[in-house]
Each structure stands twice: as C-alpha cells, then as structure tokens.
Amino acid sequence: MQRRDRWLAQPPRTTSSMRVFCLPFAGTGAGLLRQWPAQVDGVELCRVQLPGRESRIREAPFGDFGAFAEETAAGLAPYLDRPYALFGHCMGALLAHRLAVRLRELPLRPPSRLVVSSSLPPHFPPDRRYRPAGAAAEGIYHPSMSDDELADEMRRVARAQGQTDIAPELLPLAVRVLRGDLDMCYKYAPMAPEPVSCPLTTIGWTRDPDIAPEDMALWSAYGSVRHHTLEGDKLAFIRAPRTLMTTLAEDCLAVLDDSGEAT
C-alpha cells in the first residue's frame, strides 16, 4: 500500500500558518530543492513529488497537463486544510497554474496565491515560451536535442550547482524523465489566458538567459500581480537565496488576515 504522504518529500507540519506547494521543473523531482528550508517565517515549504521520478520512479509519469492537474489535486487534497500557495519555476510555473485552475473547479480550499518564476504564461506558443533549438544557455532544453545532448546539458547543470556528476547507470533514466517532461510541455498550448481566483507573484531573474524579468509582467492577464526581480541566473532559485525565501514568505503572508485565514 502506498503511503498517504507519497506526494510530499516530507510529511507536512501541523503548526504552519500557511503552506507553499513547490512543483518541479523539467527533468527533476522534489530532491532538486533539498537546499530549501522546511519553513520561512512560519510559511511551510512543501516539495511536491510527482509520479515517475525519484521515490516514485516505478509509477507512470504524467503525459499531459490535464491528467497532472486532476491527480495532483486529489493527491494534495488532505493537505489543503489551511491557506496555501503554489510555486513553480519554468515548467513548474505552467504546472502550478494548471493546478490552480483545477483546484478552483473542485469543492476544496482554493490556493491563496500563485507564485511563478522564469516562465512566460501558458497561452504563449511553446516556441515562444522557450528558447529555440540550438541556442546555447545553461539549463535550456528542447525536444529536438538528442539523448546525448540532453545528457551533456544535465551534467553541465549539475556541475554548475556544485553537485557530483550524474552516475552513468542513472543517466538514461534521468534523460527519459526529462524528455517526457519536454514532450508534455511542447504539446501544451492553451489558446487564451485562464485567469486564476487568487493573486499572483511573478519572479524574474536579472541574468536569466531565457526569460527577461520584464516579460514576467505578461502574467497580468491571469490576475492581480506583484512582480519582483531578483539577482541571479535561471538556476539561482535552487540554492534558496534569501531574497527568494523572503519574497515567498512576505507575499504569502500578505494574503492572510488577523485570524490567519486568506482574504
């Protein structure tokens, strides 16, 4: 029997005033954010573990955003007993938005804030949401890349983050996960913006080679936006910079009233 908490890297705390559910970006799982603290200023940071990766590697991964939103909403339902936000970077931003839309349709507590980082909104065509094939930049992937090219880029990103090289026996599996995510993202092409029922926080990065900080303002078509530009490159968020942690905590707590409930 699968554990009830298989959706989260760690069991949630009962003392947090608010939770932030953090979605992975392409080719990664909850382990990517292992440098993140468990909480910041009373806001609990919950790393979501999706099927098909890391501790859930034996499960079938999602093949489309609709299935992701449907199953993830059900999986996280037991943990929506207090105000919460959704956070996503790059592909994770698209996942977080799709999940927010689905949760709005269900008889569950809706998110109090949607936080998106380094991503154009979903209604932009995939060839505009991502850097074109052949454009070299750290952390940029494209479905047209061969398995060897994807593997080389994954090694380079790991080394840039101070991690040990990916074990050769694990590399084919890592590439398979990444390619599945890329295929899912490039097939995802909503025709028009789908606003959410909560306020948004958008985060741009000064040295992001893919998404200019000012482009994050395009999310204003999805709701009321607070925009922040933080110092760093596209992968700076992995290291839990203090500016990001503070921004998450402040913006999430801003939606709570004196009783601790979302306004």
Short mmCIF file of all heavy atoms in Angstrom, two decimals, residues 96-134:
data_model
loop_
_atom_site.label_atom_id
_atom_site.label_comp_id
_atom_site.label_asym_id
_atom_site.label_seq_id
_atom_site.Cartn_x
_atom_site.Cartn_y
_atom_site.Cartn_z
N ALA A 96 1.95 24.75 -11.93
CA ALA A 96 1.28 25.43 -10.81
C ALA A 96 0.02 26.15 -11.28
O ALA A 96 -1.02 26.11 -10.60
CB ALA A 96 2.25 26.41 -10.14
N HIS A 97 0.09 26.80 -12.44
CA HIS A 97 -1.09 27.47 -12.95
C HIS A 97 -2.19 26.49 -13.29
O HIS A 97 -3.36 26.69 -12.93
CB HIS A 97 -0.75 28.29 -14.20
CG HIS A 97 -1.97 28.78 -14.92
ND1 HIS A 97 -2.46 28.14 -16.05
CD2 HIS A 97 -2.83 29.81 -14.68
CE1 HIS A 97 -3.56 28.76 -16.44
NE2 HIS A 97 -3.80 29.77 -15.64
N ARG A 98 -1.86 25.40 -13.97
CA ARG A 98 -2.88 24.41 -14.34
C ARG A 98 -3.52 23.81 -13.11
O ARG A 98 -4.73 23.58 -13.06
CB ARG A 98 -2.22 23.33 -15.21
CG ARG A 98 -3.12 22.16 -15.61
CD ARG A 98 -4.47 22.55 -16.16
NE ARG A 98 -4.40 23.59 -17.17
CZ ARG A 98 -5.45 24.26 -17.62
NH1 ARG A 98 -6.65 24.02 -17.12
NH2 ARG A 98 -5.31 25.18 -18.55
N LEU A 99 -2.72 23.58 -12.06
CA LEU A 99 -3.26 23.05 -10.81
C LEU A 99 -4.18 24.06 -10.15
O LEU A 99 -5.24 23.70 -9.62
CB LEU A 99 -2.11 22.67 -9.89
CG LEU A 99 -2.49 22.06 -8.55
CD1 LEU A 99 -3.34 20.80 -8.72
CD2 LEU A 99 -1.22 21.72 -7.75
N ALA A 100 -3.80 25.33 -10.17
CA ALA A 100 -4.65 26.37 -9.58
C ALA A 100 -6.00 26.44 -10.27
O ALA A 100 -7.05 26.60 -9.62
CB ALA A 100 -3.94 27.73 -9.65
N VAL A 101 -6.00 26.32 -11.59
CA VAL A 101 -7.26 26.34 -12.34
C VAL A 101 -8.12 25.15 -11.96
O VAL A 101 -9.33 25.27 -11.74
CB VAL A 101 -6.97 26.33 -13.86
CG1 VAL A 101 -8.25 26.12 -14.65
CG2 VAL A 101 -6.32 27.65 -14.28
N ARG A 102 -7.51 23.97 -11.85
CA ARG A 102 -8.29 22.78 -11.49
C ARG A 102 -8.84 22.87 -10.07
O ARG A 102 -10.00 22.51 -9.82
CB ARG A 102 -7.41 21.53 -11.63
CG ARG A 102 -8.13 20.23 -11.28
CD ARG A 102 -9.36 20.04 -12.11
NE ARG A 102 -10.11 18.84 -11.75
CZ ARG A 102 -11.45 18.76 -11.79
NH1 ARG A 102 -12.16 19.82 -12.17
NH2 ARG A 102 -12.05 17.64 -11.46
N LEU A 103 -8.04 23.35 -9.14
CA LEU A 103 -8.49 23.45 -7.75
C LEU A 103 -9.65 24.42 -7.61
O LEU A 103 -10.52 24.24 -6.74
CB LEU A 103 -7.32 23.89 -6.85
CG LEU A 103 -6.27 22.79 -6.60
CD1 LEU A 103 -4.99 23.41 -6.04
CD2 LEU A 103 -6.81 21.74 -5.65
N ARG A 104 -9.69 25.44 -8.46
CA ARG A 104 -10.80 26.39 -8.45
C ARG A 104 -12.11 25.71 -8.79
O ARG A 104 -13.19 26.14 -8.35
CB ARG A 104 -10.49 27.50 -9.45
CG ARG A 104 -11.53 28.59 -9.56
CD ARG A 104 -11.17 29.52 -10.71
NE ARG A 104 -11.21 28.83 -12.00
CZ ARG A 104 -10.67 29.30 -13.12
NH1 ARG A 104 -10.01 30.45 -13.11
NH2 ARG A 104 -10.78 28.63 -14.24
N GLU A 105 -12.06 24.62 -9.54
CA GLU A 105 -13.26 23.93 -10.01
C GLU A 105 -13.76 22.87 -9.03
O GLU A 105 -14.84 22.32 -9.22
CB GLU A 105 -12.96 23.25 -11.36
CG GLU A 105 -12.51 24.21 -12.45
CD GLU A 105 -11.92 23.52 -13.65
OE1 GLU A 105 -11.60 22.30 -13.55
OE2 GLU A 105 -11.76 24.17 -14.71
N LEU A 106 -12.98 22.57 -8.00
CA LEU A 106 -13.30 21.49 -7.08
C LEU A 106 -13.82 22.03 -5.75
O LEU A 106 -13.54 23.17 -5.38
CB LEU A 106 -12.05 20.64 -6.83
CG LEU A 106 -11.47 19.92 -8.04
CD1 LEU A 106 -10.13 19.28 -7.69
CD2 LEU A 106 -12.44 18.87 -8.58
N PRO A 107 -14.55 21.20 -4.98
CA PRO A 107 -15.03 21.62 -3.66
C PRO A 107 -13.92 21.50 -2.61
O PRO A 107 -14.07 20.82 -1.60
CB PRO A 107 -16.18 20.65 -3.39
CG PRO A 107 -15.79 19.41 -4.13
CD PRO A 107 -15.10 19.87 -5.37
N LEU A 108 -12.80 22.14 -2.89
CA LEU A 108 -11.65 22.15 -1.99
C LEU A 108 -11.25 23.60 -1.74
O LEU A 108 -11.62 24.50 -2.48
CB LEU A 108 -10.47 21.40 -2.63
CG LEU A 108 -10.65 19.90 -2.91
CD1 LEU A 108 -9.47 19.38 -3.76
CD2 LEU A 108 -10.74 19.12 -1.60
N ARG A 109 -10.45 23.81 -0.70
CA ARG A 109 -9.92 25.15 -0.45
C ARG A 109 -9.06 25.56 -1.65
O ARG A 109 -8.12 24.84 -2.01
CB ARG A 109 -9.09 25.16 0.83
CG ARG A 109 -8.53 26.54 1.18
CD ARG A 109 -7.43 26.44 2.24
NE ARG A 109 -7.97 26.04 3.52
CZ ARG A 109 -8.30 26.86 4.51
NH1 ARG A 109 -8.16 28.17 4.33
NH2 ARG A 109 -8.76 26.41 5.66
N PRO A 110 -9.33 26.71 -2.27
CA PRO A 110 -8.52 27.15 -3.41
C PRO A 110 -7.21 27.76 -2.91
O PRO A 110 -7.09 28.15 -1.75
CB PRO A 110 -9.40 28.20 -4.08
CG PRO A 110 -10.18 28.78 -2.95
CD PRO A 110 -10.45 27.64 -2.00
N PRO A 111 -6.20 27.86 -3.79
CA PRO A 111 -4.95 28.50 -3.38
C PRO A 111 -5.15 29.97 -3.06
O PRO A 111 -6.01 30.64 -3.64
CB PRO A 111 -4.04 28.30 -4.60
CG PRO A 111 -4.97 28.09 -5.74
CD PRO A 111 -6.17 27.39 -5.18
N SER A 112 -4.35 30.47 -2.13
CA SER A 112 -4.41 31.88 -1.75
C SER A 112 -3.47 32.73 -2.58
O SER A 112 -3.61 33.95 -2.63
CB SER A 112 -4.05 32.04 -0.27
OG SER A 112 -4.96 31.32 0.54
N ARG A 113 -2.47 32.10 -3.22
CA ARG A 113 -1.55 32.82 -4.09
C ARG A 113 -0.89 31.84 -5.05
O ARG A 113 -0.68 30.67 -4.70
CB ARG A 113 -0.47 33.56 -3.28
CG ARG A 113 0.45 34.42 -4.15
CD ARG A 113 1.35 35.32 -3.33
NE ARG A 113 0.64 36.42 -2.69
CZ ARG A 113 0.35 37.57 -3.29
NH1 ARG A 113 0.70 37.78 -4.56
NH2 ARG A 113 -0.27 38.53 -2.65
N LEU A 114 -0.62 32.32 -6.25
CA LEU A 114 0.13 31.57 -7.25
C LEU A 114 1.44 32.30 -7.49
O LEU A 114 1.44 33.49 -7.81
CB LEU A 114 -0.68 31.49 -8.56
CG LEU A 114 0.03 30.89 -9.78
CD1 LEU A 114 0.42 29.43 -9.54
CD2 LEU A 114 -0.86 31.01 -11.02
N VAL A 115 2.56 31.60 -7.31
CA VAL A 115 3.88 32.20 -7.47
C VAL A 115 4.57 31.54 -8.66
O VAL A 115 4.76 30.31 -8.68
CB VAL A 115 4.75 32.02 -6.21
CG1 VAL A 115 6.08 32.75 -6.37
CG2 VAL A 115 4.01 32.50 -4.97
N VAL A 116 4.93 32.34 -9.66
CA VAL A 116 5.53 31.80 -10.88
C VAL A 116 6.87 32.48 -11.13
O VAL A 116 7.01 33.68 -10.93
CB VAL A 116 4.61 31.97 -12.11
CG1 VAL A 116 3.38 31.09 -11.96
CG2 VAL A 116 4.19 33.42 -12.30
N SER A 117 7.84 31.70 -11.60
CA SER A 117 9.20 32.18 -11.79
C SER A 117 9.73 31.73 -13.14
O SER A 117 9.53 30.58 -13.55
CB SER A 117 10.09 31.63 -10.66
OG SER A 117 11.46 31.81 -10.92
N SER A 118 10.38 32.64 -13.86
CA SER A 118 11.10 32.32 -15.10
C SER A 118 10.25 31.54 -16.10
O SER A 118 10.66 30.49 -16.59
CB SER A 118 12.38 31.54 -14.78
OG SER A 118 13.15 31.34 -15.94
N SER A 119 9.09 32.05 -16.43
CA SER A 119 8.23 31.38 -17.41
C SER A 119 7.28 32.39 -18.03
O SER A 119 6.68 33.20 -17.32
CB SER A 119 7.42 30.27 -16.73
OG SER A 119 6.49 29.70 -17.64
N LEU A 120 7.12 32.33 -19.35
CA LEU A 120 6.04 33.05 -19.99
C LEU A 120 4.73 32.34 -19.68
O LEU A 120 4.71 31.15 -19.37
CB LEU A 120 6.26 33.13 -21.50
CG LEU A 120 7.44 33.99 -21.97
CD1 LEU A 120 7.51 33.99 -23.50
CD2 LEU A 120 7.35 35.42 -21.45
N PRO A 121 3.60 33.04 -19.78
CA PRO A 121 2.30 32.42 -19.47
C PRO A 121 1.97 31.28 -20.43
O PRO A 121 2.50 31.20 -21.55
CB PRO A 121 1.32 33.58 -19.63
CG PRO A 121 2.13 34.82 -19.47
CD PRO A 121 3.47 34.49 -20.05
N PRO A 122 1.08 30.38 -20.01
CA PRO A 122 0.76 29.19 -20.81
C PRO A 122 0.22 29.47 -22.21
O PRO A 122 0.44 28.67 -23.13
CB PRO A 122 -0.30 28.47 -19.97
CG PRO A 122 -0.09 28.97 -18.59
CD PRO A 122 0.39 30.38 -18.71
N HIS A 123 -0.51 30.60 -22.39
CA HIS A 123 -1.14 30.80 -23.69
C HIS A 123 -0.15 31.20 -24.78
O HIS A 123 -0.52 31.25 -25.95
CB HIS A 123 -2.26 31.85 -23.59
CG HIS A 123 -1.78 33.25 -23.35
ND1 HIS A 123 -1.43 33.73 -22.11
CD2 HIS A 123 -1.60 34.31 -24.21
CE1 HIS A 123 -1.07 35.00 -22.19
NE2 HIS A 123 -1.16 35.38 -23.46
N PHE A 124 1.11 31.48 -24.42
CA PHE A 124 2.11 31.73 -25.44
C PHE A 124 2.48 30.41 -26.12
O PHE A 124 2.64 29.39 -25.45
CB PHE A 124 3.36 32.37 -24.83
CG PHE A 124 3.24 33.86 -24.65
CD1 PHE A 124 2.44 34.39 -23.65
CD2 PHE A 124 3.91 34.73 -25.49
CE1 PHE A 124 2.31 35.75 -23.48
CE2 PHE A 124 3.78 36.10 -25.34
CZ PHE A 124 2.98 36.62 -24.34
N PRO A 125 2.63 30.40 -27.44
CA PRO A 125 3.01 29.16 -28.13
C PRO A 125 4.31 28.60 -27.56
O PRO A 125 5.19 29.37 -27.15
CB PRO A 125 3.18 29.60 -29.59
CG PRO A 125 2.37 30.85 -29.71
CD PRO A 125 2.48 31.54 -28.37
N PRO A 126 4.45 27.29 -27.53
CA PRO A 126 5.67 26.69 -26.97
C PRO A 126 6.95 27.22 -27.58
O PRO A 126 7.95 27.38 -26.87
CB PRO A 126 5.48 25.19 -27.26
CG PRO A 126 4.01 25.01 -27.29
CD PRO A 126 3.46 26.27 -27.90
N ASP A 127 6.96 27.52 -28.87
CA ASP A 127 8.20 28.00 -29.48
C ASP A 127 8.53 29.43 -29.07
O ASP A 127 9.61 29.94 -29.37
CB ASP A 127 8.15 27.88 -31.00
CG ASP A 127 7.03 28.68 -31.63
OD1 ASP A 127 6.20 29.24 -30.88
OD2 ASP A 127 6.97 28.75 -32.87
N ARG A 128 7.61 30.09 -28.37
CA ARG A 128 7.90 31.41 -27.79
C ARG A 128 8.14 31.32 -26.29
O ARG A 128 8.81 32.17 -25.72
CB ARG A 128 6.75 32.39 -28.07
CG ARG A 128 6.60 32.77 -29.54
CD ARG A 128 5.57 33.88 -29.70
NE ARG A 128 5.96 35.10 -28.97
CZ ARG A 128 5.12 36.12 -28.76
NH1 ARG A 128 3.87 36.08 -29.23
NH2 ARG A 128 5.53 37.19 -28.11
N ARG A 129 7.57 30.29 -25.65
CA ARG A 129 7.78 30.13 -24.21
C ARG A 129 9.21 29.71 -23.89
O ARG A 129 9.71 29.94 -22.79
CB ARG A 129 6.82 29.08 -23.64
CG ARG A 129 5.37 29.50 -23.55
CD ARG A 129 4.61 28.67 -22.52
NE ARG A 129 4.72 27.25 -22.73
CZ ARG A 129 3.79 26.50 -23.31
NH1 ARG A 129 2.68 27.05 -23.76
NH2 ARG A 129 3.96 25.21 -23.44
N TYR A 130 9.87 29.06 -24.86
CA TYR A 130 11.20 28.50 -24.61
C TYR A 130 12.18 28.96 -25.68
O TYR A 130 11.80 29.26 -26.81
CB TYR A 130 11.14 26.97 -24.59
CG TYR A 130 10.11 26.44 -23.64
CD1 TYR A 130 8.89 25.98 -24.09
CD2 TYR A 130 10.36 26.43 -22.27
CE1 TYR A 130 7.93 25.50 -23.20
CE2 TYR A 130 9.41 25.96 -21.38
CZ TYR A 130 8.20 25.49 -21.85
OH TYR A 130 7.25 25.03 -20.98
N ARG A 131 13.45 28.97 -25.32
CA ARG A 131 14.50 29.35 -26.26
C ARG A 131 14.52 28.36 -27.42
O ARG A 131 14.40 27.15 -27.22
CB ARG A 131 15.84 29.35 -25.54
CG ARG A 131 17.02 29.78 -26.40
CD ARG A 131 18.27 29.84 -25.56
NE ARG A 131 18.21 30.96 -24.63
CZ ARG A 131 18.67 32.17 -24.89
NH1 ARG A 131 19.24 32.42 -26.06
NH2 ARG A 131 18.59 33.13 -24.01
N PRO A 132 14.66 28.82 -28.66
CA PRO A 132 14.67 27.92 -29.82
C PRO A 132 15.81 26.91 -29.76
O PRO A 132 16.81 27.13 -29.09
CB PRO A 132 14.87 28.87 -31.01
CG PRO A 132 14.44 30.20 -30.51
CD PRO A 132 14.78 30.22 -29.05
N ALA A 133 15.62 25.80 -30.47
CA ALA A 133 16.65 24.77 -30.53
C ALA A 133 17.95 25.36 -31.04
O ALA A 133 17.97 26.20 -31.93
CB ALA A 133 16.19 23.64 -31.46
N GLY A 134 19.05 24.90 -30.46
CA GLY A 134 20.35 25.34 -30.93
C GLY A 134 20.88 26.57 -30.22
O GLY A 134 22.04 26.94 -30.39
#
